Amino acid sequence: MTERQNGTHGPHTRESRVATSDLGVEGGSVAAARPPAAVGVDVPAEARSGDPAPVRSRLDSLTGLRFFAALAVFALHSLSFGQHTWAIAVFTAGTTGVSFFFIVSGFVMSWTARPGDTARAFYQRRFARIYPAYAVAWALSIAFIVVDGRRPAAVDLLPLTLIQSWVPSEAVYWAANAVFWTLSCEAFFYLVFPVLHRFVARWRSSRLAIALAVALLTIEVVAVIGFLVGDGPISRWFVTVFPVTRLLEFFVGMLLGTLAVRGVRWRPPAPAVLALVAVAFLAANHVPQSFRDVAVTAVPFALLVWTAAQWDITQRRSLLRWRPVVLLGAWSYAFYLVHTLAMRAAFEVLDRAGWEKESLQGGPLLVAVLGALLLALLAAYALHRVVEVPMERLLRPRAAARR
């Protein structure tokens, strides 16, 4: 959920250059480049001699899509406002937005991997990218707990370690702020990426395609296991939160990104892909829980990530590359971190105004949700500009240390 991009295409103002660097590792000039090696590994002979050299374009369409994925998560959490009717049948599957983040993360990590990079430099960049804003959001979450008149528990300190999702207890993996569990998964993905990419970067395209099919099939198997075991706290944790099972989505993204690096340029019809994503998202609202968060949308999201990346690689026009959408996508990580806090603030305003948020309907409900959304966007912008961007610049490894 926290990647930057590579290249110089797209908006060219100072603000957009900073914002649209949000998808992968370092930005840089766009140039035809040999497929990047795995972290700390030479480019395989197959890639050096046979595969086309891809243009290292910036992935603006994927950046824009990230905002809509974050918005889906916001829509799910907005169901805590008032008396919803149709919205419950549409946005209960908002958690699938997290699955989209994980696939995008794997894609961009593979797309922007550097020849001769070291694991240490990679880890340092990832830490600089995600942790400062995360730590500030954690501190704000603790402050809200105190303002609510509660005493923070010892378990609320655990999210700072990014290991909370390894414990099969809601009290642990939802500690401090319920959205933080996804960062625990991302930290695991980053930890294993250098090792995984060491092997994946050497695979032939045919093996990558086979591995992609196996990974997508395994996602469905995990959902079936969860369904057969029955809905319960351990089953929900295993299917939805456990970093090892969620690694499958990241791995799908890695395989897609590596295929793109190898020069594969298959372009499925965009209208069909978008229609499939819409149908899958709506269908995910009406399936057993073990299938809802990942299994129903895994293939459609993989196709969407691939299609959007192809738009960027081939410089195809796309509304997702429109500057305001790209900027919103650049703020999406910060938005994800603070949106539940913005909702808490909105709840407080409603309480002070004498409104019971549980009973809101119609116009007042819409105003409350839009007000929370606006507050979340303002907070995300502030977190992005004041913490995320400057701290990343400060903590990133210097050029001399990247070898």
Side-chain angles (χ1 to χ4, degrees), residues 123-370:
Y123 293 148
Q124 188 173 346
R125 290 195 303 273
R126 293 295 88 208
F127 178 86
R129 176 67 187 86
I130 72 168
Y131 201 81
Y134 176 73
V136 170
W138 173 85
L140 291 173
S141 299
I142 297 300
F144 269 86
I145 291 174
V146 173
V147 169
D148 287 343
R150 296 178 287 131
R151 178 178 298 179
V155 73
D156 291 319
L157 297 174
L158 194 61
L160 286 177
T161 68
L162 290 171
I163 64 172
Q164 67 270 32
S165 291
W166 292 91
V167 181
S169 168
E170 289 184 357
V172 176
Y173 59 74
W174 283 352
N177 190 322
V179 303
F180 289 167
W181 70 269
T182 63
L183 275 299
S184 179
C185 290
E186 285 278 4
F188 174 63
F189 304 161
Y190 298 153
L191 179 66
V192 301
F193 175 78
V195 176
L196 287 177
H197 201 261
R198 179 183 300 271
F199 295 100
V200 169
R202 290 193 170 106
W203 290 352
R204 295 181 180 274
S205 296
S206 58
R207 179 177 291 186
L208 291 170
I210 293 171
L212 177 62
V214 171
L216 289 168
L217 178 61
T218 306
I219 288 173
E220 306 304 320
V221 170
V222 169
V224 171
I225 292 172
F227 177 75
L228 294 177
V229 170
D231 188 23
I234 300 298
S235 176
R236 287 195 297 270
W237 167 79
F238 175 76
V239 173
T240 304
V241 179
F242 187 34
V244 174
T245 52
R246 298 311 295 261
L247 179 65
L248 289 166
E249 296 141 85
F250 181 81
F251 190 56
V252 165
M254 282 185 59
L255 295 168
L256 291 171
T258 306
L259 284 168
V261 165
R262 294 292 175 83
V264 177
R265 293 295 176 262
W266 173 63
R267 285 183 290 179
V273 171
L274 294 174
L276 180 61
V277 169
V279 170
F281 182 83
L282 293 174
N285 292 278
H286 307 288
V287 298
Q289 191 277 332
S290 65
F291 291 89
R292 184 184 64 214
D293 296 334
V294 184
V296 173
T297 54
V299 172
F301 281 172
L303 285 170
L304 179 60
V305 168
W306 177 265
T307 302
Q310 292 299 314
W311 292 340
D312 294 323
I313 293 168
T314 60
Q315 296 297 293
R316 179 178 175 180
R317 290 182 178 274
S318 166
L319 287 177
L320 293 171
R321 300 175 68 189
W322 184 38
R323 181 172 175 259
V325 177
V326 174
L327 289 177
L328 288 172
W331 304 345
S332 62
Y333 174 51
F335 177 83
Y336 179 81
L337 290 175
V338 302
H339 76 275
T340 55
L341 303 180
M343 287 183 177
R344 289 191 190 184
F347 291 165
E348 182 65 23
V349 171
L350 290 174
D351 288 340
R352 291 181 181 275
W355 291 3
E356 294 184 3
K357 65 181 180 64
E358 292 83 3
S359 62
L360 290 176
Q361 300 183 50
L365 174 58
L366 180 61
V367 170
V369 172
L370 291 179

